Amino acid sequence: MAVPIAVLDCDLLLYGRGHRTLDRFKLEDVTDEYLVSTYGFPRQFIYYLVDLLGATLSRPTQRSRAISPETQILAALGFYTSGSFQTRMGDAIGISQASMSRCVANVTEALVERASQFIRFPEDEATVQSLKDDFYGLAGMPGVLGVVDCTHVAIKAPNAEDLSYVNRKGLHSLNCLMVCDARGVLLSAETHWPGSLPDCTVLEQAALTSQFETELHKDGWLLGDSSFLLRPWLMTPLHIPETPAEYRYNMAHSATHNVIERTFRTIRSRFRCLDGSKGTLQYSPEKSSHIILACCVLHNISLEHGLDVWSLPATAPMEQPEEEYEQMESVDSEACRIRQELLLTHFS
């Protein structure tokens, strides 16, 4: 169904800026197919976001003709999921580039404010056990609380003198540290790290490390690839497996850890503003970090609402910088003991 933008624009020219909320069109006037193709999500999901964010997006404004929460959310979703320039998406819903920019900023900050509500590790014993059971069902790896890895998202150069965001490929990026469960639900997302930092340094400095070393579960661990050092709460693959048990451990580790690579691909498929195909995020590192985190929140909400990201078509991700690290075994004797016990108990 065509959206009557021209009529709305004529009304705006005839009546100017009135004292009512400016609604470009009503959700009930268009089909689900149109909403999914243009904004990436069906009607009921968008209604949920309006209920969730409406009060925040309706904050008092000095502008006499405010843009409704519904229109702000549509504008932001259109940008997140299409990766189109804001001017093009703004034209599609009948608002200016300046208004489009404000909508994206408002919705992004509203979602970031709620990140801890939707991205978090479970705490109750039953849910934690369910988490482990789901991972065990993938490839027989016991005790897994999540899989962790980093992914780069391209951003514009902050300024000519700041090289901290230049990664090993010579591109400006943010290095994002994430943890997901067996379904691809994000349990942790730190999206602000400069692209020049290698994965192991990001993890060393991350809040995630502090959480696992001081607060979280002592009877389980995360799985990380060989770019990270072995820790009591982080199991990595063996560099050179020699025994059948070590080969079985590495195979189970790889099959389980693959879940987060799959999650990265599907997040980029759904939120094309992150995949690099339409250019880099044209924002400061801080704003780009918030946009990435907002997309992570939407990713979890979509899974919560039964929108299966695994079924999305694949998209070519931004070329990832290859980590240049020396394969080193951890000098942490407790970590080595835990992994050896895991090998003997479950893979021998």
Side-chain angles (χ1 to χ4, degrees):
M1 178 177 179
V3 180
I5 293 175
V7 174
L8 291 172
D9 285 347
C10 289
D11 286 346
L12 183 60
L13 290 172
L14 287 170
Y15 300 111
R17 296 190 177 277
H19 294 280
R20 62 182 179 85
T21 298
L22 182 58
D23 290 315
R24 269 64 192 180
F25 64 90
K26 299 294 185 182
L27 284 176
E28 58 267 25
D29 292 338
V30 294
T31 64
D32 255 5
E33 289 75 12
Y34 171 81
L35 291 172
V36 171
S37 65
T38 307
Y39 305 106
F41 293 96
R43 186 185 329 274
Q44 291 305 316
F45 183 88
I46 296 171
Y47 280 142
Y48 172 81
L49 293 181
V50 172
D51 289 340
L52 178 70
L53 307 178
T56 301
L57 298 176
S58 299
R59 288 168 178 164
T61 174
Q62 294 180 346
R63 296 174 60 85
S64 59
R65 193 175 176 85
I67 299 175
S68 70
E70 182 178 290
T71 300
Q72 292 184 62
I73 288 168
L74 289 174
L77 291 179
F79 171 70
Y80 298 149
T81 60
S82 73
S84 299
F85 292 111
Q86 288 188 1
T87 303
R88 180 180 174 185
M89 185 52 63
D91 288 345
I93 56 175
I95 61 177
S96 67
Q97 182 178 7
S99 294
M100 180 73 188
S101 182
R102 284 192 297 272
C103 290
V104 172
N106 291 344
V107 174
T108 295
E109 292 310 308
L111 288 168
V112 168
E113 288 175 5
R114 290 160 177 79
S116 61
Q117 176 183 347
F118 294 100
I119 303 176
R120 63 189 187 279
F121 281 91
E123 296 180 356
D124 65 280
E125 186 175 338
T127 307
V128 170
Q129 186 58 50
S130 177
L131 191 66
K132 293 179 182 178
D133 292 343
D134 288 345
F135 274 119
Y136 187 79
L138 294 179
M141 181 69 77
V144 180
L145 300 170
V147 288
V148 59
D149 207 349
C150 289
T151 186
H152 286 254
V153 175
I155 63 171
K156 73 172 183 178
N159 59 64
E161 298 179 356
D162 189 352
L163 300 180
S164 65
Y165 293 92
V166 180
N167 61 41
R168 292 185 183 276
K169 295 293 185 180
L171 305 172
H172 289 82
S173 68
L174 290 167
N175 195 3
C176 305
L177 178 73
M178 300 187 193
V179 180
C180 75
D181 70 8
R183 294 176 52 235
V185 175
L186 295 173
L187 307 175
S188 177
E190 299 184 37
T191 60
H192 62 283
W193 298 101
S196 66
L197 293 180
D199 294 358
C200 59
T201 303
V202 169
L203 181 61
E204 182 180 344
Q205 299 178 8
L208 178 69
T209 294
S210 176
Q211 288 176 328
F212 265 82
E213 290 186 345
T214 61
E215 301 173 16
L216 287 181
H217 321 285
K218 304 297 183 184
D219 57 345
W221 39 74
L222 303 179
L223 296 188
D225 63 21
S226 296
S227 62
F228 303 116
L229 281 175
L230 182 70
R231 298 169 184 260
W233 49 268
L234 177 65
M235 294 292 102
T236 60
L238 289 133
H239 177 35
I240 304 176
E242 296 177 346
T243 68
E246 290 175 346
Y247 276 103
R248 285 191 288 269
Y249 167 85
N250 271 13
M251 289 177 64
H253 188 292
S254 177
T256 307
H257 187 266
N258 184 59
V259 171
I260 196 160
E261 297 298 334
R262 204 174 170 195
T263 300
F264 288 157
R265 289 195 298 269
T266 54
I267 288 174
R268 292 176 186 276
S269 294
R270 172 154 277 159
F271 303 106
R272 301 301 295 271
C273 68
L274 306 181
D275 75 359
S277 65
K278 301 294 179 66
T280 62
L281 285 175
Q282 296 296 303
Y283 298 91
S284 67
E286 180 182 6
K287 289 185 177 179
S288 295
S289 170
H290 285 187
I291 287 173
I292 300 166
L293 185 55
C295 290
C296 290
V297 172
L298 288 172
H299 167 79
N300 276 10
I301 296 175
S302 68
L303 284 177
E304 192 176 278
H305 282 73
L307 302 179
D308 183 11
V309 295
W310 300 135
S311 65
L312 289 173
T315 183
M318 170 191 167
E319 187 178 1
Q320 299 293 301
E322 295 178 4
E323 292 291 339
E324 297 177 7
Y325 53 85
E326 181 182 355
Q327 291 277 0
M328 296 181 297
E329 286 300 315
S330 174
V331 296
D332 189 321
S333 59
E334 176 65 9
C336 292
R337 183 195 65 77
I338 291 173
R339 187 169 66 181
Q340 188 61 30
E341 183 177 314
L342 184 58
L343 282 164
L344 293 173
T345 305
H346 295 278
F347 297 98
S348 294

